[in-house]
Amino acid sequence: MDFVILMFGLLIGSFLNVCIYRIPRGESVVFPGSRCPYCRARLKPADLVPVVSFLLLKGRCRYCSRLISWRYPFVEVLTACLIWLFYRHYGITLTWAYYAFIGCILIVVSFIDLSHQEIPNGLVLVLMVVGLAAKLAGIGAGFIDGLYGLLVGGAPLALIAVISLLALRREGMGGGDIKLMAAVGWCLGWRLTAMALILSIYIGGVVSIMLLCLKIKCRKDYIPYGPFIALSTIISMIWGERILHWYISSFWG
Ligand SMILES: [Zn+2]
């Protein structure tokens, strides 16, 4: 079964690559078929087998020989691993489907934020709608919990944004990050969201300091926050309940 799930994950990852490329360009993610981004040659099924095509073509377009971004096989493998991890934790259940779907949206958001410095509103809306559908179906966090989550996720980042605008006169937190974290809160409920938020601040802080120390980024550079939200939310969805249980039993047990 693990093999089937991993193959399924690679296919989904291949579709996520299409979303990452097309959504910021305002193109349909369904039609037309895939083309090379450089020479616009229409790709054949043999060029579209996840990971395998990339390796067989040695990372180059079959038609114009230009280098294909490492992002394509990376996103495919990442998506497969993620869907498999959720499967290991939740089995083939509706919770698995729900969390894996949220994880996929977060992968798309992260790579769009990395290359375009924006988080599309449409993707935040998809999270809100899926969160609502899950509540109606009785999966994951309930309505009230979701509303608390919306506040717990959105309010602290909105506060950071206001403070950095007033005190430092610079944009410390984008509107997209605030909306994304609020939507995550709506989907996951307040407990997992609080954990994801705290984790994202830690991970974001450590990685930003590393990037500054290694001189990969300078102080004025934009460091996208979306990928940190995505990573911490995924950690929280997979191990959150366990971490909370351990935390509560070791400090209040
Ligand atoms: Zn080409």
Side-chain angles (χ1 to χ4, degrees), residues 36 38-39 61 63-65:
C36 166
Y38 305 109
C39 64
C61 168
Y63 309 96
C64 67
S65 308

Side-chain angles (χ1 to χ4, degrees), residues 2 29 52 55 57 88 116 135 163 174 181-182 199 237:
D2 295 85
V29 296
V52 176
L55 293 177
L57 295 167
R88 297 297 292 182
H116 298 268
K135 283 167 185 43
I163 290 173
M181 199 67 232
L199 271 177
M237 283 193 289

Side-chain angles (χ1 to χ4, degrees), residues 29-86:
V29 296
V30 188
F31 295 107
S34 294
R35 287 167 181 275
C36 166
Y38 305 109
C39 64
R40 309 299 294 161
R42 194 176 280 278
L43 302 180
K44 297 197 185 85
D47 306 326
L48 293 168
V49 183
V51 185
V52 176
S53 296
F54 185 86
L55 293 177
L56 286 179
L57 295 167
K58 301 196 178 68
R60 289 178 181 277
C61 168
R62 186 195 297 276
Y63 309 96
C64 67
S65 308
R66 253 176 285 199
L67 281 175
I68 305 166
S69 167
W70 57 269
R71 194 188 75 205
Y72 288 89
F74 182 74
V75 166
E76 285 159 359
V77 172
L78 184 70
T79 309
C81 292
L82 187 68
I83 290 179
W84 176 78
L85 262 178
F86 280 124

Side-chain angles (χ1 to χ4, degrees), residues 10-253:
L10 286 176
L11 284 177
I12 300 285
S14 177
F15 175 68
L16 298 190
N17 273 318
V18 174
C19 297
I20 292 165
Y21 183 82
R22 293 190 185 177
I23 289 174
R25 292 171 172 80
E27 298 172 18
S28 158
V29 296
V30 188
F31 295 107
S34 294
R35 287 167 181 275
C36 166
Y38 305 109
C39 64
R40 309 299 294 161
R42 194 176 280 278
L43 302 180
K44 297 197 185 85
D47 306 326
L48 293 168
V49 183
V51 185
V52 176
S53 296
F54 185 86
L55 293 177
L56 286 179
L57 295 167
K58 301 196 178 68
R60 289 178 181 277
C61 168
R62 186 195 297 276
Y63 309 96
C64 67
S65 308
R66 253 176 285 199
L67 281 175
I68 305 166
S69 167
W70 57 269
R71 194 188 75 205
Y72 288 89
F74 182 74
V75 166
E76 285 159 359
V77 172
L78 184 70
T79 309
C81 292
L82 187 68
I83 290 179
W84 176 78
L85 262 178
F86 280 124
Y87 161 71
R88 297 297 292 182
H89 275 77
Y90 297 102
I92 301 212
T93 56
L94 286 171
T95 308
W96 167 66
Y98 182 42
Y99 282 1
F101 188 88
I102 296 172
C104 288
I105 298 275
L106 291 171
I107 288 178
V108 174
V109 163
S110 298
F111 284 90
I112 291 179
D113 197 12
L114 280 172
S115 48
H116 298 268
Q117 284 85 48
E118 62 162 69
I119 294 174
N121 282 328
L123 289 171
V124 175
L125 191 65
V126 169
L127 277 182
M128 294 298 292
V129 172
V130 167
L132 178 65
K135 283 167 185 43
L136 293 173
I139 310 162
F143 272 96
I144 304 294
D145 193 9
L147 289 175
Y148 282 135
L150 201 85
L151 269 180
V152 167
L157 294 190
L159 193 68
I160 292 175
V162 170
I163 290 173
S164 57
L165 264 184
L166 292 178
L168 306 168
R169 305 213 170 272
R170 56 186 268 185
E171 195 172 302
M173 192 59 63
D177 301 317
I178 301 168
K179 283 181 266 182
L180 177 66
M181 199 67 232
V184 162
W186 168 243
C187 290
L188 299 188
W190 75 270
R191 285 158 25 117
L192 292 182
T193 303
M195 176 151 50
L197 181 71
I198 293 167
L199 271 177
S200 79
I201 292 170
Y202 274 114
I203 299 174
V206 169
V207 173
S208 302
I209 290 169
M210 276 168 52
L211 291 174
L212 292 176
C213 287
L214 296 170
K215 305 235 187 308
I216 296 170
K217 295 267 179 189
C218 69
R219 278 182 63 93
K220 282 187 182 153
D221 281 343
Y222 174 84
I223 298 176
Y225 196 64
F228 300 126
I229 295 179
L231 177 62
S232 357
T233 302
I234 288 166
I235 293 175
S236 192
M237 283 193 289
I238 298 176
W239 294 287
E241 291 296 346
R242 228 177 272 183
I243 299 174
L244 279 174
H245 187 77
W246 166 81
Y247 184 79
I248 291 167
S249 61
S250 45
F251 289 93
W252 285 292

